[in-house]
Structure formats: structure tokens, C-alpha cells
Amino acid sequence: METRLDTARIRAARAVIDPVFLDTPFYECEALPFDSRVSIKLETANPVRSFKGRGTELVVDGLEGNAAVCASAGNLGQALAWSGRKRGLDITVVASRFATPAKLDRIRALGATLELVDGDHELARDRAAEIARTTGIRLVEDSLDLETCEGAATIGLELLASGVAFDTVLIALGGGAMATGIGHVLKDLAPSVEVICVQPAGAPAMTLSWHERRVVTTESTNTIADGVAGRRPIPEVLTDLLHVADDAVLVEESSIISGVRLLATHASLVAEPSAALGLAALLENPTRFANRHVVTILCGSNTNPPDHHRWLQPEPMVV
């Protein structure tokens, strides 16, 4: 595979990652109302309620020094705080003050120092890099740092170890750690499986970049899927993604909300908007996936309760 990732290292990573993040539930969810078979890989049943702990466990295991800083929309920050607290490390997380309040509260509760910026995630990235430069501590860059990608890649190993045959995997696309990680494993070990990345139309930078085969940045984002709302793709990550993704698609906000609602009403699962991107793609193009066995990764469940309650309300009838 012509990516930065290495399958042997990914296999070895399982021995480093805390077992609480491994071997997550994987099952066919027959109650979901699709013509295709839909299976869910549930990455929310862990202390940080997202897949990010797989990567941060690798980061802190190899950390030189006793401190690290990252920028986060919320989930990476929680995971790094959790992994760092377990090892007695000093963790600083930089986030937008407009990030989901529940995510920010949890970062604080996990003992990290939280710094808020008056801007979006890209401004938080810039501030985290500045802190690292001035203090000399480790800057953890999601998706650029191989640990974050290869940690996420262990999800792919578990999908294949299940022995269940499937045709397509729908993966939420933001910075690219999960998409490149799982994509690498599948293309290396099960190349016939179709890897499709899904991103909100309101935050399309990485998808546009994949289609144009060059980095495309955007001026702003406008999506409820805050976990994937980046504007500046990382060139090295795009290069990896071009090797492992078969397609990258954009979905509308209404479809994302419908996906969150479907997971709650038909599967009793709480999903943050980023985790519902796979179902949004199924809703928008059902014929593409008809009669196929589709896997989607439920990658996070850190929602703001008032927002989640609003998304679950029935759609108004059109008269």
C-alpha cells in the first residue's frame, strides 16, 4: 500500500491500546428501513464516547516528555485528556468557544487545561501549534500524526476479524484519520470492499480535495456535524486518502438530521451528527446501495442534549 500507514504496526497497536476501546460491537441492524443490509460498528461504548481513544492511546504511549497539546472540536480533546490522565500527563486542549458545550465540559472534567479561541477549529489548530512552539511540548495533530490514523485503523482489523462479508464501508470524513486508517486496512487485506467517505455539504474541503486530487480549502463551514468541520485539508492525509478511498460524497444537513433520528428511533442509539453521515448517504442515494451489505461506523455520541432533542422531533408535515 502506498500510504504512510503500515499494516504490521496497526496489528501491533492493539497491544498498546487500552482494551476498553477495542473489539467494539459490530452487528447488522435489521430495524433500519433500508433496502440494503446495514451493519453498525459501534464506537461509542467507551469512556470518551468516540473512536478517538484508539489513536490517543498510541500517542501517549510514545510520548517523550510529560505534556502535550492538541486542537479539538471536542472528541480528540476528550480522548487525549483521558489517555493522558491515566498516565499522569499534562494535557492542554485548544477549542473553539463555539464547540459543543457537552464536549468542552467533559474535557474539563477529565483534567485537561482547556483554552478557548474566538474562532473556528482552524484557529484552534493555529493556537495549539503556537503553544507547542513556545513551550516545546508535543503537538498532537489529528490525522497528520500517524498514531491517530493507525489507532483508527484497528477498527478495520476488527471488521475483517469478524468473518462477516460486506460490500461497502461508509466512513465519516473530516481530517481523515478514520477514513485513511480503515481504508488502508481494507485495501491492503480486502481490496474488493468499497470504501466511501461521507462529508457534509456545509464542510466539503476534503471531499473537494479528493475529487480534484489537490488540496482545496474553504473560507468557512456551515454544518451541525462539528466533528468533521475542517477548512484546511492536510496534504499528507489527502495523499493517503487518494490511495484508499473509492469515492467521497457530500450530504445535506436535512439528511444528517434524519440519520440521527433513524438511529435513535430504530436502533435506540445516540449519535452525534458526524456519526450519522453514513446513514445520510444511504438516505440520499438508496438505489446505489440496494441489495448490498453496507457497514457504517458510528464514530461518536457526544451530543449537546438540547440539540439532540430538537433533531429527534418529527419533521413537519407539508400541506
Side-chain angles (χ1 to χ4, degrees):
M1 287 293 297
E2 297 181 13
T3 73
R4 298 175 300 144
L5 286 73
D6 179 80
T7 302
R9 279 201 309 264
I10 295 165
R11 292 188 191 279
R14 284 182 52 85
V16 175
I17 298 169
D18 191 300
V20 74
F21 296 111
L22 297 174
D23 301 314
T24 51
F26 175 45
Y27 59 95
E28 184 175 351
C29 192
E30 297 181 30
L32 290 172
F34 295 104
D35 290 334
S36 49
R37 294 173 60 195
V38 180
S39 288
I40 289 171
K41 182 65 167 164
L42 189 63
E43 289 295 306
T44 62
N46 62 58
V48 298
R49 295 184 293 189
S50 83
F51 76 98
K52 295 288 189 180
R54 293 176 183 258
T56 59
E57 284 290 278
L58 297 183
V59 167
V60 297
D61 182 73
L63 189 68
E64 296 182 2
N66 65 349
V69 59
C70 75
S72 176
N75 286 349
L76 177 71
Q78 290 180 68
L80 188 61
W82 189 91
S83 294
R85 185 183 66 176
K86 188 174 71 169
R87 295 164 176 84
L89 305 177
D90 293 326
I91 303 299
T92 299
V93 178
V94 185
S96 167
R97 67 176 65 254
F98 307 110
T100 300
K103 294 181 179 181
L104 301 181
D105 290 343
R106 186 61 181 152
I107 290 170
R108 294 187 186 97
L110 287 166
T113 299
L114 179 63
E115 179 176 324
L116 302 179
V117 298
D118 289 312
D120 65 6
H121 179 65
E122 302 303 349
L123 184 62
R125 285 176 62 188
D126 293 340
R127 175 57 182 154
E130 180 185 8
I131 291 172
R133 283 194 303 271
T134 57
T135 64
I137 65 175
R138 164 73 184 271
L139 173 64
V140 179
E141 294 191 77
D142 200 14
S143 304
L144 178 60
D145 289 0
L146 275 177
E147 299 100 322
T148 63
C149 303
E150 294 186 340
T154 58
I155 298 171
L157 292 179
E158 291 171 19
L159 291 175
L160 296 179
S162 71
V164 176
F166 49 91
D167 304 300
T168 301
V169 178
L170 298 171
I171 308 174
L173 179 61
M178 185 167 60
T180 58
I182 297 174
H184 171 91
V185 167
L186 293 179
K187 290 308 175 186
D188 191 25
L189 303 178
S192 64
V193 174
E194 185 181 34
V195 175
I196 300 179
C197 303
V198 189
Q199 197 166 39
M206 187 62 104
T207 295
L208 296 177
S209 299
W210 186 87
H211 283 281
E212 296 196 21
R213 305 187 70 82
R214 64 179 181 86
V215 170
V216 177
T217 61
T218 59
E219 291 298 318
S220 62
T221 61
N222 184 20
T223 179
I224 60 171
D226 60 306
V228 294
R231 296 187 290 107
R232 302 195 313 242
I234 299 169
E236 296 91 333
V237 183
L238 174 61
T239 298
D240 291 339
L241 192 68
L242 289 170
H243 285 293
V244 302
D246 295 297
D247 199 3
V249 301
L250 298 174
V251 293
E252 299 298 328
E253 295 295 290
S254 58
S255 301
I256 299 172
I257 293 172
S258 294
V260 169
R261 188 182 301 119
L262 281 177
L263 287 163
T265 58
H266 292 272
S268 297
L269 293 172
V270 175
E272 61 185 83
S274 300
L277 288 170
L279 289 196
L282 280 161
L283 287 165
E284 290 196 4
N285 198 350
T287 57
R288 175 174 184 174
F289 304 106
N291 302 314
R292 296 175 68 80
H293 186 183
V294 178
V295 172
T296 187
I297 315 298
L298 200 69
C299 55
S301 62
N302 289 294
T303 64
N304 200 39
D307 292 332
H308 191 256
H309 177 75
R310 186 174 67 255
W311 298 329
L312 298 189
Q313 301 312 301
E315 296 176 356
M317 294 185 63
V318 178
V319 180

